Amino acid sequence: MLTLAELLHPITPDRFMADYHDRKPLHIPAGGRPTKAGIFDWDRLNGLLAQSAIWTAANLKLVRDGAPIPPDQYCTRARTPTGEVLRPAPARVDVFLSTGASLIADDIQSLTPELAALSDMLARTFGASVGANAYGSFGGVQAFGTHFDLHDVFAVHISGEKTWQLYESRADTPIAMPGGGSDPRPYYQQTRGPLLQSVRMRPGDVLYLPRGWYHDALADGPVDGGNASLHVTFSVAALYGRIMFGLLETAAMQDPAFRAYMPPAHVDGGAALQRHLADLGQRLSALAASPGFRDTIAGKQAELAPRLPAYGLPVRKPLTLLRPTGAPPPATGPLGETLQWAFSQPTFALEDLCAEFDTVDETALRAAVAAAEADGTLKRV
């Protein structure tokens, strides 16, 4: 598993956070040591593509000259137990690839151990959801024109060469694509600004782009596989302020002040309503600044990085059964919700508790249960 330090080497994580994260792009050449490219390769991509049942028009796409190829041109309708789906037809896909189309395999972050481990590391480091896409391109045919993304990007180059053009413009903390559903390409061309940097990506290189940074890329190097280029991008989408609104509403409604009627606006020329709103605002401010609300947000961040699966078949794992003794559960905190769940059950399995709260650190959870056993509030069955 690559650590953040290994992914960024020779840039240290501290320097990355201080100088680059959410500030400016960073190109990290492999320096003759393409070990980072080992997270993926053409053989593994081909192996995944051969598992035709996992692909639909939604997660396997073809693009050529900046425009997506309509799914009905490379897919066929396949019957599944849940209904019909548009499934890529390998022979049709091959024809389009022969014409120079690029292939994009989306949502592959859990399909190999290496991709899953790197995605998990990024998710936990940045408190973010992480997705991984593989891009297979052929020399001289551009897939996407200039654009920006709504998330940070870590691109790891696997095979061949590709030139990325980075422009001076950056969209200001974007949360939606421009154009309102119309073709955004003219907008990107008009707003990307002058060329800032041309980056030549080779096997083992890493490129970091903050969200909103204008860029485009073209496979154009003399490489093995007939001018083919392969890279994997990891999209890192952290939570932002909007998430507070729904969570604050849920928390605020526990306070009777937020359930009370508001004074009519005409009373005292609006002064009574103004005082009422100011009081509610102060209560919201105190609630948002409270440790409990911080823990709520921390829990939402943790939900973006559930524990990696770890099957051990054919071993049948034993269950550790426990029951509450009648004493109240321990005080709240990051593990408060998990312990409340445990103490609400007549009996429960420790393993079921870990499965129910798969975003909570398992070591901390087991330690909390052990502490509850030690103080007599939980007892083994």
Side-chain angles (χ1 to χ4, degrees), residues 89-132:
R92 293 187 183 182
V93 171
D94 264 344
V95 170
F96 279 105
L97 295 180
S98 295
T99 68
S102 292
L103 181 144
I104 300 97
D106 287 343
D107 298 325
I108 64 171
Q109 62 274 4
S110 62
L111 298 187
T112 75
E114 295 83 2
L115 296 178
L118 183 49
S119 299
D120 180 71
M121 181 275 289
L122 292 171
R124 295 182 186 281
T125 298
F126 296 100
S129 62
V130 175

Side-chain angles (χ1 to χ4, degrees), residues 241-289:
R242 177 186 285 178
I243 194 175
M244 293 181 61
F245 296 115
L247 297 176
L248 278 173
E249 179 182 6
T250 299
M253 292 309 293
Q254 305 304 310
D255 183 345
F258 288 92
R259 305 196 300 269
Y261 291 147
M262 290 186 177
H266 60 78
V267 174
D268 295 333
L273 178 59
Q274 185 65 57
R275 288 193 298 272
H276 186 81
L277 292 174
D279 176 63
L280 294 183
Q282 291 173 356
R283 291 170 183 266
L284 279 177
S285 178
L287 182 58

